[in-house]
Amino acid sequence: MIAVEAPAERAVLVAVTRKGSRDVNQVQEHLDELGRLVDTAGAQVVGRLTQQVASPNPATLLGEGKVDELRELVQSRNATLAIFDDELAPVQGANLERELGIRVMDRAEVILDIFSTRARTAEAKLQVELAQLEYLLPRLTRMWTHLSRIRGGIGLRGPGETQLETDRRMIRQKIQHHRGKLRDVARHRETIRGGRQKLLHAALVGYTNAGKSSLLRALTGDHDIFVEDRLFATLDTLTREADVGDGVRVRITDTVGFIRKLPHHLVASFRATLEEAGEADVLLHVVDASHSDWEEQVEVVEEVLGELDLADRPVILVFNKMDLVADPAAFAARIREIHPGAVLASTMRTDGVEEVKSALRERARAGRPTLRVVVPANDGARLAAVYRAGEVLSREVTSEGVVLTVRMEGWRARQLSLTDGAA
C-alpha cells in the first residue's frame, strides 16, 4: 500500500517594524511566536526576513529593495509561502503575490486557519467560519486566485463552499445568518446559567499556552480534559465544578487563549463563548511564569479583556509553570512586591495549586454567610452532608441536637432541610 501525503508548505516569515518602536527589540521573539503558529498550522519555516521602516509602504508594506531581497530568499529556499507578522491590507497582499510569485499570508490568516482545524463543537466551528468570512470579504479577489489554482494548504481550509468566495452577496448573507445563530447561542447560554446552582464562578483567561487547561485539570481532577503543549490547543469553552477544600465548591470555566495581534473578527465572533467570562464572579488570569516576556503577555490579555468590556472584573493573577522558573524564590519575591494579590502555581506538583484553591476559598467565603444550624444527633447522613457542603467552624451537642456554626450558602442549607439563622 502506497501512502500519499501532501507536501509540507515551506514558509518564509517576514516582520516589519517602525523605527523607534518597542517592537524593534522584540522582533525576533515575535517571529519565534509566529514560527510556532506556523508549526501548529502544519508548515515548515525555512527563512526569516526583517526590516525597520520609518513608515510602511502602502503598496507592499516592505520597501522596494526589501521586496527584491524577499523574492531572492523565497527562490533560494524553495518556499511556497510568505507569511507576514502584521496584518496586510488587501492591496498589499495582492501586490506582494504578484511580485513574489507565491502565496502571501499574514498572521491573522494563520490564526484563523489554526482555529478552523482546532474547532470541535458546532458552536466553535460556527464562530470560526464567521471570522473567516468577515476576513475574506474585503480580500475576495486575491483569495479566489488561491482557490482557483491550489487545493488545500494552510490558509485555504475555509468555509468550504467554492461559490461563497466568488459572490460577495452570498458571503454577506452567510455572515448575517451566522450572527443570528450566535445570538441564539448566547440566549441558550444565558438560560443554562440561570438554571445552575449558585456557586462562585471563576473563569480562566490568559495568553495561549499559559496552562489554563492544565490548571483546570489540576483543580478538578478531571483527567479527560484535553491538554497539549501547543498554541490554541483548545477552543471550546469547558465548565467544571471543583472542590477547593473545607467543603467549598466553585464552578470554573476554561476559555479560548489570547495572543498578540489577535484578529478583531475572531474576538467578535467568540463573544458568545467569552460571555462565560463576563458572567464570572472572578477571572483567574493565568500567566506563564517561565516565559521570558510574560509582562507583555499580561498586557495583551488585559487589552483583549478591555475590548470585551471585562476590564472591570475582579482578577486574580495566577503565575503558572513555576516548576520551569530558574530561580523560583527570587521570582516569587518580585511578584509579591509588584502584584501583592497574585498566587503561584505548578500543575506538575501534587501541591502545586494549593494557593489557587486558597484564593478561591477566600472569594467563596466572602459570599457565604455564617449560619447556625441544628441537626438531630441521630441523623449521621445529614451531619456528613453539612461537613461536605459547608465549612464547619464550631460544633456543640445540646438537647436540641448537634448545633453547628457553619459557612454555607442559605440555599444549600434549605436544600438539606436545616434549621438555619444568622450565627
Side-chain angles (χ1 to χ4, degrees):
M1 181 177 178
I2 300 175
V4 179
E5 294 183 3
E9 302 270 19
R10 295 171 61 83
V12 171
L13 309 184
V14 185
V16 179
T17 56
R18 286 180 179 270
K19 292 178 180 178
S21 71
R22 186 176 69 171
D23 289 345
V24 170
N25 300 321
Q26 299 173 320
V27 63
Q28 292 304 325
E29 184 179 328
H30 288 191
L31 282 180
D32 288 342
E33 184 174 85
L34 181 60
R36 294 189 67 197
L37 286 169
V38 170
D39 174 69
T40 300
Q44 177 187 2
V45 176
V46 295
R48 293 183 175 195
L49 185 76
T50 63
Q51 184 181 27
Q52 293 183 35
V53 297
S55 61
N57 186 331
T60 56
L61 190 66
L62 293 166
E64 292 183 12
K66 214 66 174 177
V67 172
D68 294 335
E69 185 180 337
L70 178 57
R71 186 190 305 110
E72 293 175 4
L73 180 61
V74 163
Q75 293 171 352
S76 67
R77 303 294 171 86
N78 196 26
T80 58
L81 277 174
I83 302 179
F84 284 70
D85 191 46
D86 289 286
E87 188 167 336
L88 294 169
V91 67
Q92 291 173 333
N95 290 337
L96 285 164
E97 287 195 340
R98 187 167 53 251
E99 291 286 340
L100 300 175
I102 62 171
R103 288 195 300 122
V104 173
M105 298 173 61
D106 58 24
R107 184 187 185 94
E109 237 175 307
V110 176
I111 293 174
L112 287 170
D113 183 79
I114 293 170
F115 272 54
S116 73
T117 60
R118 294 283 174 155
R120 291 178 173 82
T121 65
E123 177 189 345
K125 291 175 181 176
L126 188 68
Q127 292 171 125
V128 172
E129 185 172 333
L130 173 60
Q132 286 179 316
L133 291 171
E134 291 182 325
Y135 182 88
L136 172 63
L137 189 57
R139 298 166 173 80
L140 199 57
T141 303
R142 179 169 69 89
M143 296 293 284
W144 170 238
T145 63
H146 292 175
L147 296 170
S148 66
R149 68 173 185 259
I150 298 175
R151 300 290 183 183
I154 295 175
L156 305 180
R157 296 178 283 225
E161 297 182 24
T162 304
Q163 289 304 308
L164 201 63
E165 288 79 17
T166 65
D167 192 328
R168 286 185 174 87
R169 180 180 58 82
M170 289 180 65
I171 291 180
R172 291 190 182 100
Q173 288 176 347
K174 197 81 171 177
I175 287 172
Q176 292 303 316
H177 172 265
H178 284 13
R179 285 176 177 167
K181 295 282 285 183
L182 288 173
R183 282 193 292 270
D184 293 340
V185 168
R187 284 192 290 268
H188 178 62
R189 286 187 178 278
E190 189 175 350
T191 301
I192 291 175
R193 286 194 294 266
R196 287 174 176 166
Q197 291 181 332
K198 302 297 182 183
L199 299 179
L200 178 79
H201 184 191
L204 296 166
V205 299
Y207 209 80
T208 182
N209 208 37
K212 297 185 300 300
S213 297
S214 298
L215 187 61
L216 181 64
R217 177 192 279 188
L219 288 169
T220 62
D222 184 352
H223 294 285
D224 291 331
I225 295 172
F226 181 75
V227 173
E228 186 180 13
D229 185 18
R230 272 198 162 183
L231 302 182
F232 300 116
T234 53
L235 299 184
D236 302 308
T237 298
L238 184 65
T239 300
R240 293 287 186 271
E241 287 190 16
D243 183 348
V244 294
D246 293 338
V248 178
R249 294 190 67 80
V250 299
R251 184 177 296 109
I252 305 174
T253 297
D254 190 10
T255 63
V256 63
F258 303 147
I259 197 169
R260 63 171 69 91
K261 302 173 187 174
L262 189 66
H264 290 284
H265 295 317
L266 204 55
V267 174
S269 298
F270 272 75
R271 276 188 183 276
T273 300
L274 292 167
E275 279 180 7
E276 288 290 315
E279 294 296 322
D281 301 304
V282 62
L283 302 181
L284 295 178
H285 180 172
V286 184
V287 182
D288 181 354
S290 66
H291 198 281
S292 60
D293 200 16
W294 61 263
E295 292 100 333
E296 187 195 359
Q297 293 189 351
V298 168
E299 290 177 10
V300 169
V301 173
E302 289 175 346
E303 287 174 8
V304 178
L305 291 175
E307 288 182 41
L308 296 166
D309 299 323
L310 299 177
D312 60 342
R313 294 284 163 178
V315 175
I316 298 174
L317 275 174
V318 180
F319 285 86
N320 195 23
K321 303 187 183 181
M322 285 297 295
D323 53 291
L324 300 179
V325 175
D327 188 346
F331 183 86
R334 181 187 173 205
I335 293 303
R336 301 296 187 208
E337 182 179 346
I338 60 179
H339 297 292
V343 297
L344 309 178
S346 169
T347 58
M348 302 305 292
R349 299 199 306 261
T350 54
D351 61 345
V353 295
E354 288 306 312
E355 282 193 33
V356 183
K357 288 184 176 181
S358 177
L360 289 172
R361 282 198 303 271
E362 291 304 314
R363 289 276 176 171
R365 282 169 178 159
R368 297 174 108 195
T370 301
L371 307 174
R372 176 181 179 276
V373 300
V374 182
V375 181
N378 60 355
D379 195 344
R382 195 178 302 178
L383 272 172
V386 172
Y387 274 87
R388 284 195 304 270
E391 180 185 359
V392 177
L393 303 177
S394 68
R395 170 177 173 146
E396 182 183 0
V397 179
T398 69
S399 58
E400 299 177 84
V402 181
V403 180
L404 302 172
T405 302
V406 58
R407 282 199 183 100
M408 180 186 293
E409 296 85 352
W411 66 268
R412 194 180 287 277
R414 291 189 291 275
Q415 185 184 59
L416 295 173
S417 302
L418 299 172
T419 303
D420 63 285

